[in-house]
């Protein structure tokens, strides 16, 4: 069992790699972004509260996302947990350490996925996903075989995120550099950090991530 954080700017490929690890290693993906979108979709009070800040590209409060992670750590995860899009601030990183400790768990690796900004804009603005199975597509690099139909599950429920546009992306990137990138130093100091080239082919990125995970 290996618990890891996937760290990187929006569009670095964290979600895509997390889904592969779920399929291949019986790991459980804990994506605070997915949980928040789910809360909005199901119309909870918290979902309403976070919608404006999410659409703008800002970060929701530490208390909310820390609460979401705590609620979801009880899942049975034979292969371990993948923290995807969490932590995003130093306060969240401290809270994750504490909550893992309390549950008798530890963090094994932090994988930083490096991608330059120009590539992020291209990746994000063409991105869409299947609302049914979570498969990820892209207008230019990976369209569905049949327009409007998910290759993986046949659903026609394909969606684009409200914050996958250039204005929101600018703010998301700024938030990343200001508030999240200090975590690179934080985890380096803890001896947990590994960096992979997020611009490589998807299979090559997966192989690089696997190498980190298989290191004891
Ligand atoms: P993501 O799907 O990870 O790109 O997250 C989408 C949006 O959800 C972000 O732009 C934030 O508004 C919010 N969000 C997700 N995770 C966090 C987090 N750990 N801390 C604060 N806000 C978050």
């Amino acid at each position: 069992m290996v618990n890891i954080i996937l760290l990187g700017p929006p569009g670095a490929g964290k979600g895509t790699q997390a889904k592969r690890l779920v399929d291949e290693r019986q790991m459980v993906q804990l994506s605070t972004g997915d949980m928040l979108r789910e809360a909005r979709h199901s119309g909870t009070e918290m979902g309403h509260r976070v919608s404006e800040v999410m659409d703008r590209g800002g970060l929701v409060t530490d208390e909310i996302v820390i609460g979401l992670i705590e609620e979801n750590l009880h899942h049975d995860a034979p292969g371990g947990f993948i923290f995807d899009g969490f932590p995003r601030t130093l306060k969240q990183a401290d809270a994750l350490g504490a909550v893992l400790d309390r549950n008798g768990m530890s963090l094994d690796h932090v994988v930083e996925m490096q991608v330059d900004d120009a590539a992020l804009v291209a990746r994000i603005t063409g991105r869409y996903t299947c609302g049914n199975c979570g498969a990820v597509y892209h207008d230019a690099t990976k369209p569905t075989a049949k327009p409007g139909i998910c290759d993986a599950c046949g659903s026609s429920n394909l969606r684009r995120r409200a914050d996958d546009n250039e204005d929101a992306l600018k703010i998301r990137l700024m938030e990343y550099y200001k508030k999240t990138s200090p975590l690179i130093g934080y985890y380096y100091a803890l001896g947990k950090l590994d960096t992979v080239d997020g611009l490589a082919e998807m299979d090559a990125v997966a192989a690089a991530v696997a190498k980190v995970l298989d290191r004891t």
Side-chain angles (χ1 to χ4, degrees):
M1 168 158 165
V2 181
N3 297 316
I4 66 161
I5 294 172
L6 293 180
L7 188 65
K14 303 185 295 292
T16 302
Q17 293 300 328
K19 288 196 169 53
R20 278 182 80 129
L21 293 171
V22 168
D23 291 343
E24 292 168 8
R25 295 183 180 241
Q26 291 187 289
M27 296 179 82
V28 168
Q29 177 190 14
L30 295 183
S31 157
T32 41
D34 285 350
M35 293 173 201
L36 291 165
R37 278 185 290 278
E38 178 53 37
R40 293 180 63 174
H41 203 64
S42 47
T44 65
E45 193 267 329
M46 185 270 279
H48 280 300
R49 252 191 302 147
V50 297
S51 61
E52 189 268 335
V53 67
M54 285 179 77
D55 286 350
R56 188 162 42 81
L59 293 188
V60 311
T61 64
D62 290 329
E63 288 67 26
I64 288 179
V65 288
I66 292 166
L68 286 171
I69 289 292
E70 281 185 308
E71 280 166 27
N72 280 278
L73 268 188
H74 64 270
H75 285 294
D76 192 23
F81 288 102
I82 308 157
F83 298 97
D84 162 12
F86 179 93
R88 262 174 156 98
T89 64
L90 289 167
K91 188 167 171 198
Q92 292 176 23
D94 281 338
L96 178 62
V99 80
L100 288 174
D101 244 15
R102 274 205 301 280
N103 286 279
M105 297 159 67
S106 61
L107 181 66
D108 297 290
H109 300 285
V110 177
V111 182
E112 182 208 357
M113 303 181 62
Q114 268 186 346
V115 182
D116 66 54
D117 287 4
L120 295 176
V121 176
R123 279 188 179 188
I124 290 257
T125 49
R127 176 162 84 169
Y128 57 103
T129 58
C130 174
N132 182 46
C133 74
V136 183
Y137 298 98
H138 190 281
D139 292 322
T141 55
K142 196 189 167 209
T144 51
K146 282 191 215 135
I149 305 290
C150 175
D151 296 349
C153 75
S155 163
S156 56
N157 183 15
L158 299 176
R159 301 177 182 164
R160 284 176 203 269
R161 284 171 47 168
D163 59 348
D164 274 354
N165 61 72
E166 275 196 60
D167 284 345
L169 179 59
K170 266 191 208 134
I171 296 176
R172 288 159 72 196
L173 277 175
M174 191 60 82
E175 293 285 56
Y176 179 77
Y177 291 119
K178 274 200 312 210
K179 298 177 184 164
T180 308
S181 67
L183 299 187
I184 295 168
Y186 178 101
Y187 287 117
Y188 172 77
L190 289 175
K192 307 252 184 222
L193 187 77
D194 280 278
T195 301
V196 302
D197 175 11
L199 273 182
E201 286 289 312
M202 209 163 71
D203 289 345
V205 179
V209 173
K211 206 166 145 189
V212 173
L213 266 65
D214 290 337
R215 215 178 51 222
T216 47

